[in-house]
Amino acid sequence: MASSSSETSKLWGGRFTGATDPIMEQFNASISYDRRLWKADILGSQAYVKAIHLVGLVSTEEKDAIHSGLGQVAAEWESGEFVIKKGDEDIHTANERRLKELIGAAAGKLHTGRSRNDQVATDTRMWLREELKTLHTFLRALIEVLVLRAEHEVDILMPGYTHLQRAQPIRWSHWLMSYAWALQRDLERLDELSTRVNVLPLGSGALAGNPFNVDREFLAQELGFAKVSDNSLDGTSSRDYIAEFLFWASMNAVHLSKLAEDLILYCSKEFGYVTLSDAYSTGSSLMPQKKNADSLELIRGKAGRVFGQCAGFMMVLKGLPSTYNKDLQEDKEAMFEVYDTMTGILQVATGTISTLTVHPEACVAALSSDMLATDLAYYLVRKGVAFREAHGLSGAAVALAEQGKKSISQLALVELKTISSVFDEDVAAVWDYESSVQQYSAYGGTSRESVLQQVSSLKTWLQIH
């Protein structure tokens, strides 16, 4: 029986004699999403035809025709005129089919020694390599916003929290910088990931390598890769770079979700520390007084989807035998969706934080003298009392204030002396919030000088990143 025309049009159709079930054909196809790789696929093919020309597999005329024809295909994609046809199961098939329509039989030589296995691995690396630059730009912009706000709003005091309970006074700027440093690590990880993405698998064939002595270093130079993959089995099947990207996004989303959660609380009536810009808020269809922090809630919510894609793809990888398996087709939807989600999250986070209004008076009003109980212990330490004993004495002062239904700062000196004779007139200086934050002067602390030192350090780092 002769092969059906629909099978012979496939890049793999020659061995098959029966038609593919239409449901299976749809199930197998990836063109609906991997079409996003069109540019990388064409650039990879243009480089590859040059490489096979160097080893005599195509003539100069054929090489020029293929290279020019691919340029025409690219122009059609760029203008939106490219027509996907029945049988175009993936971007590689679609581009080669169109190339053949444009230049004829010479198109059939393009795939010599190449497999879709090394082709798709190359395409996804090229696509991700470029898009990581966009994420770098967005993430860096967000860090800059946090750093600039910290510098300009360094004098605002607010409660610091542990276990979501007020703990010690800190600076608003110190809180901002805590997220700036977390995101700085994310930016470092992103740059490190870019290095590992920038490895060329093209020339690995289906799994065993290239039999025509194609110059892979030439291919790497043509396509801007820093190096070639060292093993053809690994080169065609490794998706470490995509899994690592998904983890990077998950970690970044964790930091942004935590930041969003803090701000959701801070902009509520119960806290009132900040007000979001109308540009990043929405209302209620029923309650006209409502101003909802939907920008932040969506950041928090979308983080869960990012985690899910990461966990799901790791489950795809964990049971695979070596080299290429069709399961790996699942890499692209995860990569594309997470990329799209993260570009949205980063831009909305930057807009939200850059336009919110902080209310210094509300932040200060939330401070209370019980948050200085540790300072009372430090007062005793500075008088020569061992910290563990000082901690107990401060706790006794807290208990005494609670028994008297008053704040700890309202305890008279005579009452404090019933706890320890070390207390003296100068204990009154403990109940000053500015003095409290200023004592944390070691680098990394919440004193004014320390925060500005952090700002300076991160500004310097950003200049070279």
Side-chain angles (χ1 to χ4, degrees), residues 214-262:
V214 162
D215 186 345
R216 298 186 66 212
E217 295 293 345
F218 167 81
L219 284 169
Q221 185 175 4
E222 283 285 303
L223 295 172
F225 283 92
K227 59 171 292 188
V228 300
S229 57
D230 295 301
N231 180 284
S232 60
L233 301 178
D234 180 58
T236 56
S237 64
S238 170
R239 295 298 185 272
D240 297 9
Y241 59 100
I242 293 179
E244 190 174 354
F245 166 64
L246 299 177
F247 171 77
W248 171 84
S250 296
M251 193 71 256
N252 186 225
V254 164
H255 292 144
L256 296 173
S257 181
K258 285 165 59 68
L259 184 152
E261 172 64 13
D262 278 354

Side-chain angles (χ1 to χ4, degrees), residues 62-225:
E62 289 169 327
K63 183 260 293 182
D64 291 343
I66 291 171
H67 194 280
S68 175
L70 287 167
Q72 290 180 257
V73 176
E76 291 181 7
W77 279 110
E78 195 73 59
S79 65
E81 296 174 3
F82 189 97
V83 178
I84 295 172
K85 295 184 177 180
K86 181 177 172 58
D88 290 346
E89 67 179 75
D90 55 40
I91 188 62
H92 324 298
T93 307
N95 283 341
E96 188 169 325
R97 183 266 307 161
R98 182 57 179 147
L99 178 65
K100 187 176 181 180
E101 290 174 354
L102 291 170
I103 70 168
K109 293 190 175 184
L110 172 60
H111 211 55
T112 306
R114 184 175 66 167
S115 165
R116 285 186 297 175
N117 296 357
D118 61 345
Q119 189 175 358
V120 71
T122 302
D123 289 359
T124 51
R125 284 180 182 270
M126 289 177 66
W127 184 89
L128 185 57
R129 181 181 65 186
E130 293 309 304
E131 301 308 329
L132 291 182
K133 296 174 185 176
T134 301
L135 290 171
H136 178 106
T137 299
F138 290 156
L139 180 53
R140 190 180 184 282
L142 175 54
I143 297 171
E144 285 183 333
V145 165
L146 290 165
V147 171
L148 288 173
R149 287 206 78 137
E151 184 175 31
H152 294 152
E153 298 165 343
V154 70
D155 292 320
I156 300 172
L157 303 187
M158 67 177 291
Y161 294 84
T162 63
H163 307 278
L164 202 52
Q165 299 183 66
R166 288 181 293 181
Q168 291 179 307
I170 61 169
R171 294 185 183 277
W172 158 254
S173 53
H174 196 50
W175 176 85
L176 289 169
M177 289 303 296
S178 72
Y179 283 106
W181 285 115
L183 297 177
Q184 180 263 352
R185 294 192 299 276
D186 290 337
L187 194 57
E188 280 187 328
R189 275 187 283 266
L190 187 65
D191 291 344
E192 291 163 3
L193 168 60
S194 297
T195 299
R196 286 185 285 279
V197 169
N198 200 24
V199 177
L200 176 73
L202 190 59
S204 297
L207 75 160
N210 188 286
F212 300 109
N213 201 29
V214 162
D215 186 345
R216 298 186 66 212
E217 295 293 345
F218 167 81
L219 284 169
Q221 185 175 4
E222 283 285 303
L223 295 172
F225 283 92

Side-chain angles (χ1 to χ4, degrees), residues 208-344:
N210 188 286
F212 300 109
N213 201 29
V214 162
D215 186 345
R216 298 186 66 212
E217 295 293 345
F218 167 81
L219 284 169
Q221 185 175 4
E222 283 285 303
L223 295 172
F225 283 92
K227 59 171 292 188
V228 300
S229 57
D230 295 301
N231 180 284
S232 60
L233 301 178
D234 180 58
T236 56
S237 64
S238 170
R239 295 298 185 272
D240 297 9
Y241 59 100
I242 293 179
E244 190 174 354
F245 166 64
L246 299 177
F247 171 77
W248 171 84
S250 296
M251 193 71 256
N252 186 225
V254 164
H255 292 144
L256 296 173
S257 181
K258 285 165 59 68
L259 184 152
E261 172 64 13
D262 278 354
L263 287 175
I264 289 167
L265 292 171
Y266 293 169
C267 73
S268 68
K269 292 286 179 66
E270 285 71 19
F271 285 75
Y273 300 165
V274 302
T275 299
L276 299 191
S277 163
D278 287 351
Y280 293 95
S281 307
T282 66
S284 166
S285 62
L286 178 65
M287 299 168 284
Q289 83 280 9
K290 292 293 294 299
K291 183 175 182 179
N292 299 325
D294 283 9
S295 54
L296 299 169
E297 291 171 13
L298 285 169
I299 289 171
R300 186 178 59 184
K302 288 180 181 296
R305 293 186 61 175
V306 173
F307 305 158
Q309 287 287 8
C310 181
F313 187 57
M314 292 297 284
M315 292 305 100
V316 169
L317 294 178
K318 75 171 186 64
L320 296 183
S322 62
T323 75
Y324 186 83
N325 296 269
K326 192 71 170 188
D327 315 51
L328 293 177
Q329 183 166 290
E330 298 300 308
D331 62 354
K332 287 172 283 298
E333 284 187 288
M335 179 178 71
F336 293 146
E337 181 180 323
V338 167
Y339 170 78
D340 292 342
T341 300
M342 292 309 299
T343 55

Side-chain angles (χ1 to χ4, degrees), residues 379 383 413-414 416-417 422-431:
Y379 166 87
K383 295 280 187 178
L413 179 58
V414 64
L416 290 171
K417 279 188 174 291
V422 176
F423 287 113
D424 208 340
E425 297 283 353
D426 58 354
V427 73
V430 169
W431 315 119

